[in-house]
Amino acid sequence: MKKSSIIAGVIVTIATALSLKSNLVYAADGIPAITAGTSGLPRMDVVDVSSNNGNISVASFQKMHQYGVGAVIVKLTEATSYRNPYAATQIANAKAAGLRIGAYHYSWYTSQSSAQSEAKYFTDYAKSLKLASDTLMVDDLEDTYTMTNNVTNNARAFNTQVKATGFSNTSTYTGLYYKNTTGLNFSYIGNARAWIAQYPFAPSSNSLWNTTYGMWQWNSNTSFPGVSGTFDVSIDYTNLITQVAKYKVGDVVKIASNAWSETNGYTLVNRRNWVGTVVSAKPKAYSNSAWEYDIQYPNGVHSVHVAEQDVTTIAAAKYSVGQTVKIASNAWSETNGYTLVNRRNWVGTVVSAKPKAYASSAWEYDIQYPNGVHSVHVAEQDVTTIAAAKYSVGQTVKIASNAWSETNGYTLVNRRNWVGTVVSAKPKAYASSAWEYDIQYPNGVHSVHVAEQDVTTIAAAKYSVGQTVKIASNAWSETNGYTLVNRRNWVGTVVSAKPKAYASSAWEYDIQYPNGVHSVHVAEQDVTKK
């Protein structure tokens, strides 16, 4: 941008402290000469240009783009009497190179009314150049004329007028010295929309300045190899204008089904629909893309120069590590060719999920079964969910009356209708079941591998602890064989209720009588309400 003595004053102050830096060349105003591509520099996200830069070719803008430049902010106007005659060409060529466009006005205003007039002059020219309403529109505040006690109110009036004409994306540019001297307050736009100029004598990516603002212009004497002239360069902290890469390093993506070639000409036809991981993203103008990606596939192969237009997203993995799943009943083979026919309906746990294009799938899974065996490359299309376990740990259940055997072959015929408590639930495919249970009975015995199809629920205990009940008039004995004939019609209080299969009962009760005597194993069928 056009610099006044105010901005130059900042540089001179810094230069005094760092005048011993001899490895850099400096302009007459003390600003270091920078060459794009030098390692260790802050990012060059944005350049700004004016009539001083003249006509800049598409090829020149493309070269800037190769060094990380993603946007150009073009000077349109100054005061209410000047229009940049090169603006239209500079904008058109920058767009053709794949760069985003912003515009700025060099302000002279000293009052709110003159600020409004200059804002209108600025936006009128922007509209004649057919700039979009979301174009970043910048108020360049650096001239000594504008340094008044009312600078904040004047800048607010300028900003309000720009928005009133339909341009909603606004910013204010100034030097840190200017801001501190005038007391300029960014409350009308917020610090994230402020663009600050301040030039270190040893710019470094390890020492970024003005990070609390939207952008920082860190040099005005930068050259790009193969491009005539020098330029102002800025880092865009908050993406005020730069075009951000759509995909970031680590994203899992897919080569588009209509992709033809990489930006270097290598064919992509044979890699259409391949799934891989983004290794790097670099600026590159190519057709309607401004970025290119290095994509690594699961087999280790890379496509190094894939234009953004040839990359698409894939849905997130359907199943997550640790999830219990089942091999589909129509599965044929893993993605490496190993058969899955003999493992159809097997239930297991997802150990890992990796990107892999296979038929209608973009993911493959390593699934471990309860016996320790793995299917390492199962395509997503060959995995299905299973219903959650029907019974939970601690729940009281009963062995079904038609149960034959546990999943390991042990008979259950002699334990039909036994009541017990679920100790564990594990995935296990068995007939119509996807879960098996370890069930412990009141006598301490376990049935460790009971398929879900062989488990049923029992009704809740009919009587609760503390309830007053009576021994039935036809009761014969407790579940342990003790007689109840001599206690028929006795009234007592329920002390505990425990699961116990006995004739038509699934619960037994410890009943204490008023005389202190207990009947400890009374089947529910032998208890009535008082």
Side-chain angles (χ1 to χ4, degrees):
M1 291 185 173
K2 177 181 176 182
K3 301 298 183 293
S4 72
S5 59
I6 298 300
I7 298 298
V10 180
I11 303 306
V12 172
T13 302
I14 300 169
T16 302
L18 297 168
S19 59
L20 295 179
K21 295 280 184 180
S22 59
N23 59 331
L24 294 172
V25 177
Y26 302 97
D29 55 5
I31 299 172
I34 298 295
T35 301
T38 303
S39 62
L41 294 173
R43 294 198 317 263
M44 299 179 183
D45 296 330
V46 181
V47 298
D48 54 86
V49 299
S50 67
S51 59
N52 291 332
N53 301 103
N55 283 321
I56 305 170
S57 68
V58 174
S60 291
F61 278 126
Q62 287 174 332
K63 287 177 181 177
M64 293 182 195
H65 194 27
Q66 291 170 2
Y67 288 96
V69 174
V72 176
I73 301 179
V74 179
K75 179 176 180 177
L76 298 191
T77 51
E78 184 171 338
T80 55
S81 57
Y82 172 82
R83 290 182 172 184
N84 175 9
Y86 299 98
T89 301
Q90 290 170 342
I91 290 169
N93 289 352
K95 282 183 176 179
L99 303 179
R100 292 178 67 84
I101 303 299
Y104 78 89
H105 169 83
Y106 188 91
S107 294
W108 285 41
Y109 56 72
T110 58
S111 66
Q112 293 183 44
S113 60
S114 60
Q116 291 168 338
S117 297
E118 291 192 28
K120 188 174 184 307
Y121 186 73
F122 177 38
T123 56
D124 283 349
Y125 192 32
K127 287 181 178 180
S128 73
L129 295 171
K130 301 188 183 306
L131 291 182
S133 61
D134 63 350
T135 300
L136 184 67
M137 302 287 279
V138 182
D139 178 9
D140 179 359
L141 267 181
E142 59 178 294
D143 200 280
T144 54
Y145 288 127
T146 61
M147 298 179 71
T148 70
N149 292 333
N150 294 321
V151 64
T152 299
N153 289 335
N154 296 343
R156 180 182 288 108
F158 182 96
N159 187 72
T160 300
Q161 178 61 39
V162 170
K163 288 187 171 184
T165 60
F167 290 98
S168 59
N169 190 10
T170 59
S171 174
T172 299
Y173 166 95
T174 193
L176 191 63
Y177 178 83
Y178 182 106
K179 178 185 181 299
N180 293 338
T181 300
T182 63
L184 176 62
N185 187 324
F186 294 129
S187 58
Y188 60 95
I189 54 168
N191 284 352
R193 290 202 153 267
W195 181 10
I196 297 295
Q198 189 183 21
Y199 310 137
F201 251 67
S204 169
S205 58
N206 294 322
S207 181
L208 300 180
W209 295 5
N210 299 301
T211 56
T212 58
Y213 299 103
M215 289 198 294
W216 169 38
Q217 188 184 85
W218 56 270
N219 187 264
S220 64
N221 190 23
T222 296
S223 60
F224 292 86
V227 179
S228 177
T230 59
F231 298 85
D232 305 340
V233 291
S234 299
I235 182 171
D236 186 356
Y237 291 127
T238 59
N239 296 323
L240 266 180
I241 185 170
T242 47
Q243 185 174 10
V244 180
K246 189 174 182 180
Y247 307 102
K248 64 181 183 296
V249 172
D251 281 352
V252 177
V253 296
K254 184 170 70 169
I255 302 299
S257 58
N258 61 347
W260 281 99
S261 63
E262 297 182 54
T263 63
N264 61 354
Y266 277 48
T267 185
L268 279 172
V269 173
N270 58 348
R271 293 181 180 174
R272 288 175 177 172
N273 298 310
W274 280 32
V275 175
T277 303
V278 174
V279 177
S280 71
K282 298 178 181 178
K284 173 76 174 182
Y286 182 79
S287 190
N288 61 344
S289 300
W291 294 87
E292 67 174 17
Y293 300 90
D294 179 352
I295 297 174
Q296 182 176 6
Y297 307 107
N299 59 4
V301 172
H302 286 246
S303 291
V304 182
H305 302 282
V306 184
E308 193 166 86
Q309 67 195 35
D310 293 321
V311 180
T312 64
T313 55
I314 63 170
K318 191 173 181 180
Y319 307 102
S320 55
V321 172
Q323 187 172 354
T324 300
V325 296
K326 184 170 70 169
I327 302 299
S329 58
N330 61 348
W332 281 98
S333 64
E334 298 182 54
T335 62
N336 61 354
Y338 277 47
T339 185
L340 279 173
V341 173
N342 59 348
R343 293 181 180 174
R344 287 176 177 172
N345 297 309
W346 279 33
V347 175
T349 303
V350 175
V351 176
S352 70
K354 297 178 181 177
K356 175 73 175 183
Y358 183 79
S360 61
S361 299
W363 294 88
E364 67 174 17
Y365 300 89
D366 179 353
I367 297 174
Q368 181 177 5
Y369 307 107
N371 60 4
V373 172
H374 286 246
S375 292
V376 182
H377 302 282
V378 183
E380 192 167 85
Q381 67 196 34
D382 293 322
V383 180
T384 65
T385 56
I386 62 171
K390 190 173 181 180
Y391 307 102
S392 56
V393 172
Q395 187 171 353
T396 300
V397 295
K398 185 170 70 169
I399 302 300
S401 58
N402 62 348
W404 281 98
S405 64
E406 297 182 54
T407 62
N408 61 354
Y410 277 46
T411 186
L412 279 173
V413 173
N414 59 347
R415 293 181 181 173
R416 287 176 178 173
N417 297 309
W418 278 33
V419 175
T421 303
V422 175
V423 177
S424 70
K426 297 178 181 178
K428 174 73 175 183
Y430 185 78
S432 60
S433 300
W435 294 89
E436 66 174 16
Y437 300 90
D438 179 353
I439 297 174
Q440 182 178 6
Y441 307 107
N443 60 5
V445 173
H446 286 246
S447 293
V448 182
H449 302 282
V450 183
E452 193 168 83
Q453 67 195 35
D454 293 321
V455 180
T456 65
T457 56
I458 62 171
K462 191 172 181 181
Y463 306 102
S464 58
V465 173
Q467 188 172 352
T468 301
V469 295
K470 185 170 70 168
I471 302 299
S473 58
N474 62 349
W476 280 98
S477 63
E478 297 182 53
T479 62
N480 61 354
Y482 277 46
T483 186
L484 280 173
V485 173
N486 60 348
R487 293 181 180 174
R488 287 176 179 174
N489 296 310
W490 279 34
V491 175
T493 303
V494 175
V495 177
S496 70
K498 297 178 180 177
K500 175 74 176 181
Y502 186 80
S504 62
S505 300
W507 294 89
E508 67 175 15
Y509 300 91
D510 178 354
I511 298 174
Q512 182 178 7
Y513 307 107
N515 60 6
V517 173
H518 286 247
S519 292
V520 182
H521 301 284
V522 183
E524 193 169 83
Q525 66 195 36
D526 293 323
V527 180
T528 65
K529 292 182 180 179
K530 179 186 173 185

